């Protein structure tokens, strides 16, 4: 069993400092960024080295949603922003659902061919035309659109051997502030949030969603704490009312919105006490070391048993993947959506 901390590494090869942190008993996983990629071959070697450090292997994750949030681009298929899928089919959900399924499969198949265990996707937020940080990362503007297309994406990824992590619970789409830079506050009543924003989460949980990441947002008419530090949202609503039994990830504890919860060890402790199974500390090695040391003796068998289920299943390597007609068809599908939307901001 491993610990509850997911952290990042410096570059395209592991440094001695990276290795020391990854071998720390509190480490449970690694999240990769664009700086960790030079080529598919290099990426495969890096991930293999990470996996070989511990037994069972550490989890390896990335943000590979498509559009502007796609960490690996060169030598990978450029995935369209999720919000562009439905307009490509003139609002017809049936063909859009089939396309989302194949794009989810494509994303997961390419990552699994390089050894990545999972992507932090799909985004389940609604596009209310308010949040720039969400924007075209959403699958649609209604609960039905998001639930339908995101579930198809999830099922496609599952076929390729990858679990899914829905974000940002209970919904980030109605606040303008970017939680990377400031503290967003949502003033809507609980009933409205549950009726609109939470419905895609409820829908995907019923279909077996394996992971969820809460929003760094305060829903002030529901709880005074950020959702990721809130027993109300994580235990009463997510575990209790929605019966979610998968892994809850904190959003990055280095984000500005998390600062209101105190120093880094205090943030990590608050997130875990609220109900998170794994906390993310990114782009701040000093903070990561502080959190690791503060959680050195932490042990929750149930939480860690949930995390074990996130490892990717066996999948074809890149050469075998490229030989399949399904891969070629999915690559063409992604290209068709790009070509029909010339104003894509990538």
């Amino acid at each position: 069993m491993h610990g509850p901390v997911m952290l990042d590494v410096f570059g395209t090869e592991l440094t001695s400092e990276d290795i020391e942190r990854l071998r720390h008993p509190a480490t449970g996983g690694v999240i990769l960024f664009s700086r960790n990629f030079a080529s598919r071959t290099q990426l495969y070697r890096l991930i293999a080295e990470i996996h070989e450090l511990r037994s069972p292997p550490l989890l390896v994750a990335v943000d590979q949603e498509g559009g502007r949030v796609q960490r690996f681009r060169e030598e990978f298929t450029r995935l369209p922003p999720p919000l562009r899928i439905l307009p490509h089919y003139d609002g017809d959900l049936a063909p859009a659902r089939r396309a989302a399924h194949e794009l989810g499969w494509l994303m997961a198949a390419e990552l699994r061919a390089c050894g990545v265990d999972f992507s932090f996707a799909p985004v389940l937020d609604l596009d209310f035309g308010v949040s720039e940080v969400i924007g075209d990362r959403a699958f649609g503007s209604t609960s039905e659109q998001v639930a339908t297309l995101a579930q198809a994406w999830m099922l496609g990824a599952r076929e390729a051997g990858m679990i899914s992590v829905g974000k940002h619970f209970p919904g980030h789409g109605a606040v303008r502030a970017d939680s990377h830079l400031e503290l967003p506050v949502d003033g809507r009543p609980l009933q409205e949030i549950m009726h609109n924003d939470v419905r895609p989460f409820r829908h995907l949980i019923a279909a077996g969603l394996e992971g969820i990441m809460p929003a760094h947002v305060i829903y002030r008419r529901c709880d005074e704490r950020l959702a990721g530090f809130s027993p109300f949202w994580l235990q009463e609503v997510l575990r209790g009312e929605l019966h979610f039994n998968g892994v809850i990830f904190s959003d990055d504890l280095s984000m500005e919105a998390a600062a209101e919860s105190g120093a880094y060890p205090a943030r990590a402790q608050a997130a875990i006490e609220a109900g998170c199974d794994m906390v993310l500390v990114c782009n701040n090695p000093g903070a990561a070391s502080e959190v690791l040391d503060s959680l050195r003796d932490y042990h929750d068998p149930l939480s860690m048993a949930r995390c074990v289920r996130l490892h990717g299943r066996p999948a074809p390597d890149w050469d075998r993947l490229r030989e399949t007609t399904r891969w070629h068809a999915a690559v063409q599908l992604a290209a068709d959506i790009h070509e029909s939307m010339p104003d894509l901001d990538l």
Side-chain angles (χ1 to χ4, degrees):
M1 291 293 193
H2 297 320
V5 182
M6 176 170 279
L7 42 78
D8 56 344
V9 294
F10 283 112
T12 56
E13 298 179 355
L14 294 183
T15 66
S16 58
E17 292 89 349
D18 289 328
I19 293 172
E20 182 180 0
R21 279 191 290 271
L22 296 185
R23 285 179 170 161
H24 193 287
T27 301
V30 178
I31 180 169
L32 299 176
F33 292 92
S34 298
R35 68 173 182 271
N36 303 122
F37 178 85
S39 69
R40 277 202 319 269
T41 301
Q42 166 271 324
L43 180 66
Y44 183 88
R45 287 198 303 263
L46 174 65
I47 294 170
E49 186 177 0
I50 293 170
H51 280 154
E52 289 168 2
L53 285 175
R54 305 275 292 273
S55 182
L58 294 170
L59 294 165
V60 176
V62 68
D63 289 306
Q64 193 86 339
E65 302 168 12
R68 56 195 163 100
V69 182
Q70 180 170 340
R71 305 304 185 204
F72 306 148
R73 298 192 177 199
E74 299 301 322
E75 302 185 60
F76 282 78
T77 302
R78 289 291 192 91
L79 302 167
L83 193 62
R84 303 305 182 109
I85 298 173
L86 189 57
H88 180 72
Y89 296 97
D90 297 321
D92 189 338
L93 269 174
R97 182 177 64 245
R98 292 191 290 270
H101 184 281
E102 290 308 288
L103 291 171
W105 173 85
L106 176 63
M107 176 277 303
E110 292 190 345
L111 290 179
R112 287 297 303 128
C114 295
V116 177
D117 289 298
F118 63 90
S119 170
F120 284 107
V123 168
L124 301 183
D125 305 300
L126 306 186
D127 174 35
F128 292 114
V130 173
S131 175
E132 292 183 3
V133 74
I134 300 303
D136 61 5
R137 297 167 66 192
F139 281 91
S141 58
T142 71
S143 299
E144 180 188 13
Q145 292 169 354
V146 173
T148 299
L149 299 183
Q151 179 176 334
W153 176 281
M154 176 184 74
L155 295 177
R158 189 177 293 167
E159 283 187 15
M162 179 176 287
I163 65 94
S164 293
V165 180
K167 58 189 185 184
H168 306 82
F169 180 81
H172 201 307
V175 290
R176 186 173 301 278
D178 181 350
S179 53
H180 294 83
L181 307 173
E182 52 188 317
L183 175 60
V185 177
D186 189 327
R188 295 174 299 157
L190 176 63
Q191 183 178 6
E192 180 179 341
I193 297 169
M194 294 296 293
H195 180 71
N196 293 311
D197 305 61
V198 172
R199 287 175 66 187
F201 289 94
R202 188 189 298 273
H203 188 81
L204 267 70
I205 288 169
L209 179 65
E210 299 93 345
I212 283 179
M213 176 178 283
H216 275 338
V217 175
I218 292 176
Y219 303 85
R220 65 184 179 197
R221 295 178 66 177
C222 308
D223 189 12
E224 63 185 13
R225 288 160 290 198
L226 290 160
F229 300 95
S230 167
F232 168 74
W233 283 115
L234 302 188
Q235 296 181 36
E236 292 186 36
V237 178
L238 190 52
R239 296 287 190 206
E241 182 173 344
L242 302 184
H243 307 293
F244 177 65
N245 60 10
V247 175
I248 301 177
F249 292 88
S250 81
D251 207 338
D252 182 9
L253 298 183
S254 300
M255 290 165 61
E256 186 60 33
E260 72 100 35
S261 296
Y264 283 93
R267 299 178 200 182
Q269 189 63 39
I272 288 172
E273 289 179 355
C276 288
D277 297 292
M278 185 166 282
V279 297
L280 275 69
V281 187
C282 308
N283 303 308
N284 191 328
S289 295
E290 289 179 24
V291 171
L292 289 174
D293 289 342
S294 73
L295 295 172
R296 176 178 291 274
D297 298 322
Y298 177 83
H299 184 64
D300 183 337
L302 177 58
S303 184
M304 294 304 100
R306 293 188 186 114
C307 292
V308 167
R309 301 197 295 263
L310 303 186
H311 288 286
R313 297 190 302 279
D317 63 25
W318 196 273
D319 290 338
R320 289 172 56 203
L321 178 64
R322 285 174 57 91
E323 292 173 355
T324 65
T325 56
R326 185 176 188 179
W327 180 82
H328 285 280
V331 169
Q332 185 61 54
L333 171 64
D336 290 344
I337 295 176
H338 281 307
E339 290 172 8
S340 67
M341 300 288 174
D343 60 332
L344 285 176
D345 181 14
L346 295 178

